[in-house]
Amino acid sequence: MTDALPMRPATRDAAYNFAYLDEATKRALRRTILKAVAIPGHQIPFGAREMPLPYGWGTGGIQVTAAILGPRDVLKVIDQGADDTTNAVSIRRFFNRVAGVATTTDTRAATIIQTRHRIPETPLREGQVLVYQVPMPEPLFRLEPRLAETRRIHALADYGLMQVKLYEDIAAQGEVGSSYNHPVMVGGRYLMSPSPIPGFDNPKMHRMPALQLFGAGREKKIYAVPPWTEVRSLDFEDHPFRPVRAPHACSLCGSTGSYLDEIVTDDRGGRMFVCSDTDYCERRR
Amino acid sequence: MYVAVKGGEAAIEAAHAWLAHERRGDPALPELTPEQIAGQLSLAVDRVMSEGSCHDRELAALAIRQARGDLIEAAFLLRAYRNTLPRFLAAEPLDTGAMRIRRRISATYKDLPGGQVLGPTFDYTHRLIDTAPRPAPAPPEREADGAAVPRVSAILAQEGLMAGEAPDPGGPVPDLTREPLPFPAPRALRLQALARGDEGFLLGLGYSTQRGYGNAHPFVGEIRVGDCAVAVTPPELGFEIEIGDVLVTECQMVNQFAGSATTPPQFTRGYGLAMGQAERKAMAMSLVDRALMARDLGEEVTAPAQDQEFVLLHSDNVEATGFVEHLKLPHHVDFQSELEKLRSIRARWEAERAAGDPARREAAE
């Protein structure tokens, strides 16, 4: 692993516009983002483009990042909490090539952090932007696949369907069934998918000082949680939301408060638990 | 170029090098040229241009070579490329009535003005793999004469038996590649989505309408394949100029409509248009287009092919392949929380089973 200071910008590939997309498209994206920030948790449709990375690899997050990225930004990209997973490397390389911006693994040094499936353990601060890659922006899609219908449900804030689903989970198995992508209420108004982050990360969204932007490319939606917004995981008074992590300490840094990956060490049941957030873990060692 | 982390980078570099080696095949053999692909695998090029929403034979051929013949991957390359191009004008609607015909057939009339022109088709070939060396085939004896050929739909319309199309709502044509699909989607956007939709998916859906999933009684009114002029009207000129020709395939599928209190029984048509010679695609598209009109015509919507959201949100193979294949990406963070969740539920289940708690069992039932 390299040192964590922001790295000198690379030379940008001049065959492409800054950050790949043309300026008119980026402007349209920024208008969508502004609208999303103005209505926290509400999904705003946008004309997503094909990017040179496939749908499902984070095209929504990539488009959001492309729209807000400036030449002086410092970009961090994580996947599963780690900077060195292949997809994170690939996206970082993409922006390195088409925008020539500085990149970092240091959560504290980044101005923009694009993530898939995790929120960094290091608390974010004002001025930072966390860009989530979102596969299915509609929190109700397993209960109601029709977008025309879910739009109506959101308009009426008629979220009984989801409460009933949680109730049925509890009645049948004693606890809610969702371990990740657990739905949240944003600003007391919109039900929102937090993207497939583990429930462990949900509380970090609440009153986060950083701006949280969510991009779903294939589903063509952008939504946002402005800084300091109330974000509550859906639950019941007698069954409060319970963030879960593996009940172990990290084998590398000893952390008992971070989210852990379970590493299979042999074929006789051997297990080792290590921090999913590689930057956090290295800093503690 | 600097990249912050090295481990994944080395793996990616090695994988790309291996991929390039595999793509090239036996280096003792000459590499395929894009000209060969465009000339000899022209139907693959046509499909990639349609599903890639970009008319450029040379680039499509290059994409097919780069994609090792994976046509969805090639269409994806073309889609990503087209988003880097500025959009300066929208073309005038193609006048397919003025098409220079290569092939034109109607299944609804034995003969008709303009005649039946078989053209270059597999239709009546015997599908025997030809292992013998091939002499250079002779060029066609007679090219189509280029005279405009009337449309079958116009023949039916003269009799008042063909439903008229809804009038042009005016304003700029909506563009699926710039704005997200609204639902219900207007027909212009439905047709755009179908035109770039996956040939196999639309084929299966169209087929399902013939097998009772959507009450279709289709006839091929007309299939025509040929070159059409593309015209634009630059604002500074104020009049149309032709900027080139494109080869397209058009299918008009004639269907019955039972009529309603206000509309007499008549024929309706499903419409298909695809770049290049792509009859299977154009025919499947026209079947699905007609099925999707069910809602507007007040027909009962019962089958998948009639369901706009089902069809239009799942027909794009670049979107579909992305979401299906993204399951290859690491998901161990979510899987870890699933593991903990399952262990927790399992522990509760086992504890209750051991305690023989009847109240819990009842609550669950």
Side-chain angles (χ1 to χ4, degrees), chain A residues 209-233:
Chain A
L211 170 63
Q212 302 176 73
L213 299 177
F214 299 78
R218 185 179 40 75
E219 297 287 331
K220 302 175 178 57
K221 299 277 168 48
I222 286 173
Y223 53 99
V225 175
W228 305 109
T229 303
E230 178 185 280
V231 178
R232 298 250 173 244
S233 299

Side-chain angles (χ1 to χ4, degrees), chain A residues 2 50 146 175-176 179 196 220, chain B residues 4 83 307 319 334 338 344:
Chain A
T2 54
E50 287 85 0
R146 266 154 235 291
E175 58 185 280
V176 300
S179 58
K220 302 175 178 57
Chain B
N83 288 330
D307 184 322
E319 291 176 3
D334 291 346
E338 281 286 271
S344 162

Side-chain angles (χ1 to χ4, degrees), chain A residues 11-18 97-98:
Chain A
T11 314
R12 181 166 76 79
D13 186 337
Y16 299 96
N17 191 37
F18 178 81
R97 173 172 175 188
V98 299

